[in-house]
Amino acid sequence: MSRIASARAATDDNEVLTEAKVLRDPDTPVAGNPNGNVTIVEWSDYNCPYCRKLEPELRQVVQDDGKVRLVMKDWPILGPVSVTAARTALAAKFQDKYHQAHDALMGVSSRLTEPRINELLAAAGVDMDRLKRDLAGHGSDIDALLKRNNEQAEAFGFSGTPSFIVGKYRVPGVLSMTEFEQVIADARKAKMN
């Protein structure tokens, strides 16, 4: 694991990896304790089998700990259907249904298709007519957020999903519940020093 400070964006002066942009982007959905003393930032793709497998364990660790803020960065890198899934989940946010959409899309065991995405979101209680309107009306904002998420992931040197920042540590790849608990404890210790 390397410190965030060692990750430098290879872009112009427009810093991609500022703490505000990575941890506090107001457009990025947050789960867990919004005032938690440790932040986990997760970059994930709805078609990533490792992301799906990890999701319930990560949520359990966040819930059990009670003081973790989970920042959920959609990073659709596995093809056009992944982009559609991320865009629709983020559009569901405008009717306060992002988490239901996220859970529905992460909860499947097979590869997503566009018809399956719509079916899953409708079953999760998302108003599909409103979703279409929100996609049309907020599409450029959603695309801008996905672009920011991608630029950050690339600047951190992540090569796939899932990837994480836990506190000030870069954690590429899948961790067990025990490993997450350890990284969270390490991040808390580092914060105190």
Side-chain angles (χ1 to χ4, degrees), residues 128-169:
M128 297 309 285
D129 291 329
R130 168 137 189 223
L131 183 83
K132 287 184 182 96
R133 289 193 305 275
D134 287 335
L135 269 170
H138 299 283
S140 60
D141 295 334
I142 292 168
D143 292 340
L145 175 60
L146 291 174
K147 183 175 187 280
R148 288 195 303 276
N149 291 352
N150 183 63
E151 287 169 349
Q152 291 168 5
E154 287 180 352
F156 278 121
F158 293 140
S159 58
T161 53
S163 292
F164 302 91
I165 296 295
V166 180
K168 294 197 177 296
Y169 296 104

Side-chain angles (χ1 to χ4, degrees), residues 49-125:
Y50 303 106
C51 297
R52 288 188 194 140
K53 182 180 183 302
L54 182 73
E55 186 73 11
E57 292 185 2
L58 176 60
R59 288 300 181 93
Q60 192 63 53
V61 168
V62 169
Q63 184 182 327
D64 290 353
D65 184 285
K67 294 180 184 162
V68 174
R69 184 173 168 267
L70 177 62
V71 177
M72 304 164 78
K73 303 256 185 191
D74 288 286
W75 188 30
I77 56 174
L78 298 174
V81 174
S82 291
V83 174
T84 299
R87 290 182 89 247
T88 54
L90 288 165
K93 185 178 74 165
F94 295 98
Q95 54 183 288
D96 292 324
K97 298 277 174 119
Y98 173 84
H99 293 288
Q100 292 90 324
H102 176 87
D103 293 348
L105 296 173
M106 278 295 177
V108 295
S109 57
S110 57
R111 218 161 151 74
L112 292 169
T113 61
E114 290 196 33
R116 185 79 176 118
I117 291 168
N118 293 333
E119 191 180 288
L120 289 164
L121 295 187

Side-chain angles (χ1 to χ4, degrees), residues 173-189:
V174 178
L175 297 181
S176 68
M177 281 177 79
T178 308
E179 290 166 329
F180 262 117
E181 289 165 354
Q182 184 58 54
V183 173
I184 291 166
D186 291 348
R188 277 201 179 102
K189 269 188 235 152

